[in-house]
Amino acid sequence: MIKKRLLPCLLIILIFLTGCTGYTESDSRYIVSALGFERTGDGFVIYAQTVTANEGKGEIAQNSYRAFGESLWGTLSELKARLSKPISFEHCSIIAISPEIPKEDLVKICDFCKDLERLNTSVYFAVCEDIEGLLGSDAISESAGGYDISSLIESRAEQTGINYKNRLYEILSARENFLPTFNLPIVSSSTDEFYIEGEYIYTDFTPVKKLDNEQSVIYSLITNQNSGGYITVDDNEALMNSSHTYLSADFKDERLYITLEMQTDLKQENAEFCENLYLIAQKLLSEKTDIFGFANVLEQKHSRVFEQIKGDYGKAFENCVIELANALAKGKRG
Amino acid sequence: MQTKNYSFHIIAALCLSVLGAAPITALFYNATPYSFLSFALAAAVAISVALIFSFCFPRDFSACHKGINKIFLMVFVVSGFLLCLLSALITLKDFWRLSAKVLLPRAPEFISLALILALLIYFGFAKREAFLKFCLIMLLPVSVTVVLLFCLSMPSMKLMNISVYSLPPVNKLSSHSLSYLLNIFVTATPSLILAHAVLPQIKKRTLLSGLLSGSLLLGIILLQALLVLGSGINYFEFPYLSAVGTLTFGNLFTRLDGFVYFMFLICAAAKITVCINAAKYLLSLIKNKNSP
């Protein structure tokens, strides 16, 4: 009988034992809602937007702190030392980075965030030119500015279909690609609102192109990252439920040929709208660097072509011919 | 023991012990889109080998006391014994690593180890039926957790992470398959030895069901990790935990990975218990002069 009772007791104790260490009341710790990273001449600046709950009064207070140090872990220790209570990263919803952060430091930041105790790997990444201003801005909702930004990213992604939701684990995954390519929303704040003013395209962890909101739509269509929504070109808005861009490639006469076929369900009466859309697409496709991550598609789907160019992909792409197969607009370059 | 009545219990024990520490480590090394294909291939080979083994392994050891059979069996029994011990130690080490780094990071290391040792000591003193009942009861929550978390992760999954557009190079596929095969084989063998030898009346159908259900659950776990994290799986020490960790419901419910800790504990404890029992059985064969 004792043995029969022992097993369930043992299991319950073991399962709940993990919750027994490091427990702190929510009003006796700083809950980090957003983190920011900047690079200075000889070190890093970490910004932390925190919320503290006063459970007795039912109030929530938002604060922002910053610390400077030569290494990321050293800066974090410096930040912790300044605060009177322990900090928790469990509910951090956004990581803002400065576009000036060089490649090797951005990789370090990603690794740092991955190893940060209990930081969720599905935290959003965003770019901001004034991180101190962004994280210091008052919340629009009753919680914290960081949560308002993550809600903004989610609602804009839902509304426009653009993939603004690049998360930490997706950026880490991108590192494994032949050409790590990802896009991060540019978030800014004014006195009474947060807004997205476009995207930064990162290739190999370096920001290579800044896109406005119109270009972001086209970028998402070409890279098959648009889930459908309202798209705006020249102040005209149209609803698009589905889209797909097919890529075919060939390598002949020492030259790479890429053909893109963009299929959307935009209606015929939007012909002018479509034409404008394709004009923007062509302009983007004239970039001399592969901002779309075509290399990764070629590696996966057109391995025969890819094998011939992977040795000097940069040069091959520079000289490649990209054709946008569409009745409305056609163009070649190279 | 009436073996007939314990068929489901044995299936559950085999299933949990096949899982073992594999959900913790997720078995992937240098993952590529070919990884799941390699895993499926390795699982099929491992199950086939296990079935062949169950047909060829003699039920009556006293009949094999002469000549080449005796030498062959002695080599087999000794290597099986070492394999069981190695398998138990690897599982214990993997769980300890998880426990020290994730479950109780601030506690002294021996406390992290005490988590699983307490359960193992209990099974050491309890009757075999208690362990089998434990496995049967725990199979349901483990299976439900795995399937539920897989379904909840669907919005974050990217099919391109496992999409294969051309036949993978043979060397890539075989090297991946071999590493999974070794892991699956090391995982499955002790449970097979135990089920086959300790419960001699057990049907082959029961063995097959246990191994298949374990491989299926493991397949779902690995598929989830690969579909969510893609090749980024290589950057995570505990990929399945990280894949589950990406599940969030608003800003409040952000740590659903807590649900899988109990699964890790149960699967690791089941596998170590099976390995130790199999090792004890094989040791008794080595010591027994009438046996091989």
Side-chain angles (χ1 to χ4, degrees), chain A residues 3 6-7 11 14 22 90-91 114 117-118 120-122 147 169-170 172-173 175-176 300-301 303, chain B residues 106 115 122 125 138 156 158 160 163 165-166 228-229 231-232 234-236 245-246 251-252 254-255:
Chain A
K3 275 188 182 177
L6 188 62
L7 183 61
L11 271 176
L14 291 180
E90 214 166 330
H91 299 285
K114 177 175 72 75
E117 197 184 330
R118 301 195 76 80
N120 201 305
T121 48
S122 59
Y147 300 135
Y169 73 87
E170 287 171 308
L172 288 167
S173 298
R175 277 160 78 170
E176 284 289 298
Q300 197 175 18
K301 295 184 181 174
S303 51
Chain B
R106 296 193 196 97
L115 262 175
Y122 174 81
F125 288 103
M138 286 303 159
S156 313
K158 286 180 185 165
M160 63 176 284
S163 298
Y165 293 91
S166 56
V228 172
L229 301 175
S231 306
N234 300 330
Y235 291 101
F236 295 98
T246 61
N251 294 317
L252 192 60
T254 57
R255 302 301 306 193

Side-chain angles (χ1 to χ4, degrees), chain A residues 245-250 257-261 321-325:
Chain A
T245 300
Y246 297 91
L247 184 148
S248 54
D250 199 4
Y257 292 84
I258 293 175
T259 307
L260 298 168
E261 192 184 332
V321 178
I322 300 180
E323 188 175 340
L324 189 61

Side-chain angles (χ1 to χ4, degrees), chain A residues 97-268:
Chain A
I97 55 166
S98 155
E100 278 93 39
I101 291 176
K103 176 188 169 180
E104 53 280 5
D105 290 326
L106 184 54
V107 171
K108 275 185 201 167
I109 288 169
C110 289
D111 283 334
F112 170 79
C113 292
K114 177 175 72 75
D115 297 333
L116 206 53
E117 197 184 330
R118 301 195 76 80
L119 179 80
N120 201 305
T121 48
S122 59
V123 61
Y124 293 132
F125 258 68
V127 180
C128 179
E129 274 155 13
D130 176 20
I131 295 176
E132 191 168 17
L134 183 79
L135 301 191
S137 300
D138 288 336
I140 298 162
S141 64
E142 286 178 1
S143 52
Y147 300 135
D148 292 336
I149 298 168
S150 60
S151 302
L152 171 77
I153 289 173
E154 280 166 6
S155 63
R156 287 280 293 157
E158 180 77 22
Q159 194 187 351
T160 61
I162 300 171
N163 177 35
Y164 287 123
K165 302 187 284 183
N166 262 316
R167 299 163 185 265
L168 171 60
Y169 73 87
E170 287 171 308
I171 294 168
L172 288 167
S173 298
R175 277 160 78 170
E176 284 289 298
N177 292 333
F178 175 79
L179 190 67
T181 311
F182 52 89
N183 49 309
L184 300 179
I186 305 168
V187 183
S188 301
S189 63
S190 63
T191 47
D192 57 351
E193 65 167 352
F194 295 102
Y195 59 94
I196 293 174
E197 55 176 296
E199 281 183 312
Y200 256 110
I201 309 301
Y202 280 75
T203 298
D204 200 15
F205 285 79
T206 310
V208 288
K209 181 84 181 163
K210 188 179 178 179
L211 306 180
D212 58 29
N213 283 324
E214 280 184 0
Q215 291 171 321
S216 296
V217 173
I218 313 300
Y219 183 85
S220 69
L221 291 173
I222 293 174
T223 53
N224 281 320
Q225 292 187 78
N226 196 302
S227 58
Y230 286 95
I231 54 176
T232 311
V233 176
D234 281 342
D235 293 331
N236 293 317
E237 197 176 60
L239 177 65
M240 189 198 63
N241 292 312
S242 66
S243 73
H244 196 89
T245 300
Y246 297 91
L247 184 148
S248 54
D250 199 4
F251 187 72
K252 54 186 177 188
D253 305 329
E254 299 298 307
R255 203 159 201 192
L256 173 66
Y257 292 84
I258 293 175
T259 307
L260 298 168
E261 192 184 332
M262 200 187 282
Q263 289 183 0
T264 65
D265 66 347
L266 280 171
K267 289 174 189 170
Q268 278 300 311

Side-chain angles (χ1 to χ4, degrees), chain A residues 73-101:
Chain A
W73 290 106
T75 315
L76 180 68
S77 305
E78 174 70 26
L79 184 73
K80 282 180 176 175
R82 286 186 187 184
L83 303 173
S84 54
K85 300 173 195 172
I87 50 174
S88 151
F89 297 99
E90 214 166 330
H91 299 285
C92 179
S93 64
I94 185 101
I95 290 172
I97 55 166
S98 155
E100 278 93 39
I101 291 176

